[in-house]
Every structure is written in C-alpha cells, then in structure tokens.
Amino acid sequence: MEQKRWWKESVVYQVYPRSFNDSNGDGIGDIPGIIEKLDYLKELGIDVIWLSPVYDSPNDDNGYDIRNYREIMDEFGTMEDWKKMTEEIHRRGMKLVMDLVVNHSSDEHPWFVESRSSRENPYRDYYIWRPARADGSAPNNWASAFSGPAWEFDEKTGEYYLHIFSKKQPDLNWENEQVRNEVYDMMTWWLDQGVDGFRMDVINFISKEPELPDAANPDNMPVVFGGEHFMNGPRIHEFMHEMHERVLKGRDVMTVGEMPGVDEKEAIRYTSPDRQELDMVFQFEHVDLDSGPGGKWDLRPFSMPALRDNLVKWQKALEKEGWNSLYLNNHDQPRMVSRFGNDSGRHRVRSAKMLAVLLHMMRGTPYVYQGEELGMTNVRFHSIESYQDIETRNMYAEMRNEGVPHEQLMEQIYVKGRDNARTPMQWNAEKHAGFTDGEPWLAVNPNFEEINAQSAVADPNSVYHFYRRLIHLRHTHDVIVYGSFDVLLEDHPDVFAYERVLDGERLTVYCSFSDQEAAVPAEAGEVLIRNYSDTLRDGNQLTLRPYEAVVFLEQN
Ligand code: NOJ
C-alpha cells in the first residue's frame, strides 16, 4: 500500500519575491507585499508556498548569491516581517518552503571574505581554491553557467577559485566537514523558526570529483560546461543521506532538490523513501528538449511527441518508487503558454488551460509559478538594457563580442531569457499592473491591461478559475494523487492522452496541442473538467477542437 503524505496531496505555488508585490514603492517586491496577497493564494487553493531566496544578498543573481543565511534582504523587509508572513501563511492552513542555496554563497559572505584573505586562513578550505596550471591558465577548462570560465584568479593569494555560476557565487567545498556542519546548523535553525521544507538549489552539484578533471572538449572550445564531473558526483548520495540524518529525520517537512542533469534512475535513488534522502527532485529533461547541443540558447523547435515521450518516461519510472515533481515553468524558464501552448490572442486562454490539465492530472506534486494561473506570457523588450538577468546580459555581451548580430541575440532572448518569467506579477490594469507605485526594477509586460489578476478573478471563465477547479479536484479525488499512470494514443502527433486508475475509478485525460481539429476514439465516463463549454463525443468518436482538453471519470 502506497504511503500517504501531505506533500503528495499538495499543490505548490512559487513566489519570486522581487517580482511579486511591492508594498513600499521602491519598485521591488517585498515580504509585506506577499502578506497582502496571501488571501489571493488561499482562494486559489494552494497548499504550499515556495519562496525563492529572501536572504541578505548583494543581488548579483537576484538572491541566489547569499551574503548572510540568517538575515532577510533589506529590500524585502525584516526578520519581523518574515515571522509575520510565516505566521499568516500558517494561520491560513498553508505551508512555507524556503529556498536553500548552498552549492555556493555570495563572494561577500564573511566565509569567503575570510577565505580569500590568506592561504592559511581557517576558512580557506570552505571554498574550492587551486593553483594555476604551469602556463598560468585556469586549473581546468570548465565554463561558468553564466558564460566565460568557471575560475576566477584572485591576486591577493595568487590562486583561482571555482564558481560554476557567476564569479560572485563561489562554490562551497562540501568535502570539508565543517562546511557541511554549518549548512546543517543553518537548516535546523530555519526549521526551528517554523519552515515546512526546502527547495534545494542545484543540490546535485555539491559533490565534485576531487581531481576536478578537464571536461571532454571534442570541439576544442575555450571552455566547456564540466557537468559530467560534478552533477550527481561521487559523494552526492552520502551527503544527501547525511543531511537527512542530521537535519530532516523525524520532522514532517517536504524537500525538493533542483537537479539539472538528473535522469530517472538517479531520481529514484534520491527519492526512494527507504534511502532517506529527498522527497522529490526537479528534473530538466523536458525543459531541455527545445535546446540543441550548444545549450539553452541553441534553439530547437518544440515537439509535442518528444515532450510526451519524456514525461511518460518519468511518470512510469517513478510510479512505484520515488515521487515526481510536476512543472512546466519557473523563474528560470520561459512562460509555459508561450513555449508549449499558443500565446497569440485567440488561443492563449484555451492553451494555458490545456497545459494546466496536462500537468495537474499527472502523478506527482504540481508546481504553479506566479502568474501562470493568469496565463502570463513571455515578453519582448527591444533593447538589451531593459533586461536585468545576469545570464542573459552575460550571454549577450559575450556573443556580441564574437560578432553575432543584435537581432539574432534578441530573438534567442525572446524565446529563452529568464526575464520572461520575471516581469512583475500583473495584479490589475492600473499603472505598472498594480505591482508598484514606484518604478519597477524590471518593466511590466505591456499586455497587463488584458492579462491581470483583478480581471481574472472577476471572470468565471478565466485561467485563474480553471486552476482553482483543477486544484480542488486534486484535493477531492484520490485517483489524481495516487492513481497509476498509463499513456493512451501514444503515437498521435497532436494529442497527449493518458489514463489514471485507482480502486475502480478511471480517469482519461485528452490534451490537444493542435490549432486544428483532431478526432480520437472516445472513452466512457462523465466529464470531470474541460476547457470548452461542451464536448463533441459521438458514439465511438471524440472530436477535439484547437487546444481542447477534457477529462473523463468512469466509476466501476
Ligand atoms: C538555479 C536557480 O534556480 C537559478 O535562478 C540560479 O541562477 C542558479 N541556480 C544559481 O543559484
């Protein structure tokens, strides 16, 4: 009998605080702003809030570079504000998951300030320092995920330090037991303040191969991403289990590890309850399908059958052991309706609802990223100065340097840039979408007059109300949470269909990705939810209209 757990029955909502709601007019979202919107989230029906980092940070990477793990960022408020928010979340029966960013810290963290001060400093070994190679070049050929080399030379002590992300995000040395102890103490401290779990940033990067070997480089590039030497590295399961033993054991919390480069076999190792590591992971395969060998900016067309094959593989692999997290977008990914649906006027609402059905009827814990419930879309700013994201800006500068034309780079940014997801939340049709009374840190998407929470809440046919219904269904139908999963019509070019079965109940789910009609064999049962006002079911045939989604429930 499968173990019932609250986090399997929950829907998580991700808040990206900088862009959520500004209460004091400085143009930056903040914690009091989140408190103002808790009733909105409760009404939506969500169970858990995952808060992207709110810790003290110089904001080289919007808070994913932490200067003090036990303080709140000034722009976001105070520890008092945080405590009030946590209390208000709990008072409404919701839970709070904090972001844990411990693959790296900020270079302004006192540990790193000490570490770089001398080779003998007791904190030296908290980070990964190496001498130059004989010719003075960096210790290996790894690239930073944010362009350029992953090593920075530090004049003062004449060595290089490793930074897989920006040079203001030095990697912590998890081989050092003291570092691990510091992290475990800090996690325990937050749990004692009442947090209900952690989302762990690139947590499968923390165990590096100790020799830090060069990455394979068949194309002879100046630098290459060395993931093969630190993703799911040699001691990762030992560290995850140790963290469980030392921090999580005996506490009723949820954990989700963000894990680029994880496959389903590794995911089972991370999430099998017997192994006592994590509850679930964020895998990346399905959001990498539209990238070529050159990485995320190497654009490839979206293919529904490829998405289906991948999601079905994950559904089946983790059906009996482990647990899936379900997401189609977050603060690092383009908006799902622009990427997998159709954000042109006519089809936006319909396709946003279709994608929501696809995700929310699957087995796993669904994650809703702020604004997804409104069908918010990607954005197109014309000048690079309008973009704030470090990854986007670094890529642009590097490629311009190599002579790639501005227009081509902007096209890539329109498709994949992280600021697509980070434009301020659209609350109403007033100035700056009601996000701030001041000047927003990142401009609002100009479509806010049409797409905003106030009009969505007032419209019973909105994407917002559709999400409310989907979330309610998960809370009232065990088959959605615990049912088995099987794909249907597995060769159909446009329709993603599957069934879920539990104790004599059978759900069949149809999602059309086409802007044309498609006819498929009909299934029995009552309509549980749909994104059209009727269903074209005639004898054995079901006709699906553009981006139609329909779910049938059959009781035996
Ligand atoms: C993954 C986070 O989601 C992303 O926003 C961040 O830039 C990197 N990890 C580095 O922390």
Side-chain angles (χ1 to χ4, degrees):
M1 197 38 204
E2 179 165 3
Q3 252 197 340
K4 297 206 160 180
R5 301 300 305 269
W6 60 262
W7 42 264
K8 295 184 177 177
E9 300 169 9
S10 293
V11 176
V12 183
Y13 187 96
Q14 181 189 354
V15 170
Y16 192 70
R18 206 172 183 77
S19 305
F20 192 61
N21 186 34
D22 175 21
S23 72
N24 63 359
D26 66 356
I28 296 173
D30 50 42
I31 292 177
I34 297 173
I35 300 174
E36 285 173 16
K37 299 298 182 183
L38 291 178
D39 286 333
Y40 168 85
L41 297 179
K42 183 66 191 170
E43 270 300 295
L44 182 58
I46 63 121
D47 306 285
V48 179
I49 295 172
W50 151 27
L51 197 58
S52 277
V54 291
Y55 313 97
D56 173 47
S57 162
N59 280 307
D60 192 49
D61 186 19
N62 289 355
Y64 282 92
D65 48 320
I66 297 172
R67 181 164 50 198
N68 186 334
Y69 287 100
R70 299 179 198 218
E71 294 261 357
I72 300 298
M73 191 191 300
D74 281 345
E75 289 106 312
F76 289 174
T78 62
M79 192 55 97
E80 283 317 301
D81 295 327
W82 182 87
K83 285 187 177 149
K84 170 138 190 276
M85 174 193 70
T86 306
E87 214 176 277
E88 293 291 324
I89 289 172
H90 288 154
R91 198 163 64 75
R92 287 168 177 78
M94 298 186 287
K95 294 183 191 284
L96 173 66
V97 162
M98 293 283 276
D99 221 303
L100 181 81
V101 188
V102 290
N103 172 67
H104 44 267
S105 71
S106 163
D107 66 336
E108 298 182 27
H109 193 291
W111 298 336
F112 191 75
V113 174
E114 290 287 327
S115 186
R116 78 186 330 173
S117 68
S118 84
R119 291 197 197 184
E120 290 71 43
N121 189 281
Y123 288 92
R124 183 66 168 182
D125 194 41
Y126 270 43
Y127 295 86
I128 303 175
W129 292 95
R130 291 288 185 278
R133 294 200 239 212
D135 64 356
S137 64
N140 72 22
N141 67 356
W142 296 359
S144 152
F146 294 159
S147 304
W151 293 95
E152 181 72 6
F153 185 70
D154 201 53
E155 293 287 345
K156 175 110 199 271
T157 56
E159 287 190 323
Y160 285 87
Y161 66 86
L162 178 69
H163 61 89
I164 291 174
F165 294 91
S166 97
K167 60 180 176 219
K168 286 185 65 62
Q169 293 168 299
D171 282 55
L172 283 159
N173 177 17
W174 277 70
E175 298 294 318
N176 182 340
E177 197 184 339
Q178 261 172 289
V179 168
R180 305 206 297 279
N181 288 339
E182 299 263 19
V183 171
Y184 303 153
D185 285 352
M186 178 269 285
M187 292 174 74
T188 304
W189 186 82
W190 280 106
L191 289 169
D192 292 343
Q193 312 281 320
V195 317
D196 303 292
F198 295 104
R199 173 270 187 189
M200 304 181 187
D201 192 67
V202 288
I203 198 70
N204 65 329
F205 285 17
I206 60 177
S207 167
K208 279 92 177 162
E209 282 177 27
E211 318 75 53
L212 309 175
D214 274 332
N217 190 3
D219 298 329
N220 216 5
M221 306 291 280
V223 284
V224 274
F225 191 69
E228 72 228 56
H229 300 299
F230 56 77
M231 298 193 304
N232 315 302
R235 297 180 69 187
I236 186 66
H237 292 287
E238 176 197 333
F239 294 160
M240 291 290 89
H241 183 65
E242 182 180 79
M243 181 189 282
H244 190 278
E245 283 289 305
R246 297 278 300 279
V247 181
L248 304 166
K249 199 173 186 165
R251 297 199 188 238
D252 190 18
V253 296
M254 75 166 250
T255 53
V256 50
E258 189 212 22
M259 298 200 176
V262 76
D263 66 12
E264 68 280 14
K265 289 184 196 71
E266 276 294 339
I268 291 173
R269 289 188 198 113
Y270 286 115
T271 66
S272 275
D274 300 350
R275 295 176 51 94
Q276 306 198 314
E277 296 186 18
L278 298 170
D279 296 326
M280 53 191 136
V281 305
F282 288 128
Q283 61 98 2
F284 279 67
E285 288 179 354
H286 68 302
V287 290
D288 288 341
L289 292 169
D290 55 6
S291 304
K296 76 178 266 185
W297 304 107
D298 182 8
L299 308 183
R300 291 290 183 274
F302 165 64
S303 145
M304 188 286 283
L307 179 71
R308 174 178 54 206
D309 289 353
N310 188 265
L311 293 179
V312 169
K313 180 185 81 169
W314 278 87
Q315 286 286 300
K316 291 309 286 180
L318 275 67
E319 192 176 21
K320 301 260 150 45
E321 236 190 314
W323 190 252
N324 270 300
S325 59
L326 307 170
Y327 76 98
L328 289 175
N329 49 198
N330 59 36
H331 65 295
D332 295 328
Q333 299 290 333
R335 290 281 177 184
M336 78 181 196
V337 68
S338 304
R339 188 183 199 177
F340 305 115
N342 185 331
D343 65 6
S344 75
R346 208 150 56 90
H347 294 304
R348 183 185 63 86
V349 167
R350 197 88 74 190
S351 65
K353 292 177 181 173
M354 180 278 287
L355 292 167
V357 168
L358 179 77
L359 203 77
H360 283 254
M361 291 295 126
M362 281 192 186
R363 187 181 156 86
T365 299
Y367 288 74
V368 179
Y369 177 65
Q370 69 185 37
E372 174 186 332
E373 79 281 14
L374 307 175
M376 277 178 64
T377 67
N378 282 352
V379 72
R380 296 166 77 93
F381 297 131
H382 297 298
S383 92
I384 186 66
E385 281 73 41
S386 307
Y387 287 87
Q388 300 295 333
D389 172 29
I390 180 169
E391 181 191 44
T392 300
R393 294 177 78 124
N394 286 1
M395 180 286 278
Y396 180 89
E398 186 177 85
M399 291 296 128
R400 285 295 287 142
N401 225 352
E402 288 179 19
V404 182
H406 167 81
E407 291 71 28
Q408 183 182 326
L409 294 171
M410 294 316 283
E411 285 306 320
Q412 290 167 293
I413 292 169
Y414 295 155
V415 176
K416 284 288 182 69
R418 302 197 297 182
D419 282 340
N420 280 311
R422 299 176 180 185
T423 60
M425 181 73 178
Q426 292 162 207
W427 292 108
N428 58 41
E430 286 153 38
K431 194 161 182 219
H432 302 313
F435 163 71
T436 181
D437 295 334
E439 273 307 305
W441 70 278
L442 174 68
V444 169
N445 190 317
N447 63 19
F448 69 94
E449 285 182 13
E450 180 201 341
I451 306 173
N452 64 68
Q454 192 177 41
S455 64
V457 169
D459 170 8
N461 290 317
S462 65
V463 180
Y464 169 85
H465 283 288
F466 200 77
Y467 269 79
R468 284 189 66 197
R469 294 210 286 279
L470 282 170
I471 295 169
H472 180 71
L473 287 174
R474 178 165 286 261
H475 290 155
T476 48
H477 289 71
D478 269 2
V479 61
I480 300 175
V481 180
Y482 294 109
S484 62
F485 175 97
D486 277 293
V487 66
L488 301 171
L489 312 174
E490 63 188 312
D491 296 319
H492 201 287
D494 297 314
V495 178
F496 190 157
Y498 58 86
E499 65 172 9
R500 306 287 313 278
V501 177
L502 183 75
D503 301 337
E505 280 195 331
R506 177 168 182 258
L507 278 185
T508 46
V509 180
Y510 293 87
C511 294
S512 173
F513 280 70
S514 173
D515 58 5
Q516 309 291 313
E517 281 195 358
V520 296
E523 295 287 341
E526 298 293 314
V527 172
L528 190 65
I529 190 164
R530 62 186 168 203
N531 66 351
Y532 276 74
S533 56
D534 59 356
T535 304
L536 304 182
R537 184 161 47 169
D538 185 9
N540 295 330
Q541 184 173 296
L542 174 67
T543 303
L544 297 170
R545 288 153 287 186
Y547 301 104
E548 181 159 356
V550 56
V551 181
F552 300 105
L553 174 63
E554 193 187 351
Q555 318 253 10
N556 290 314

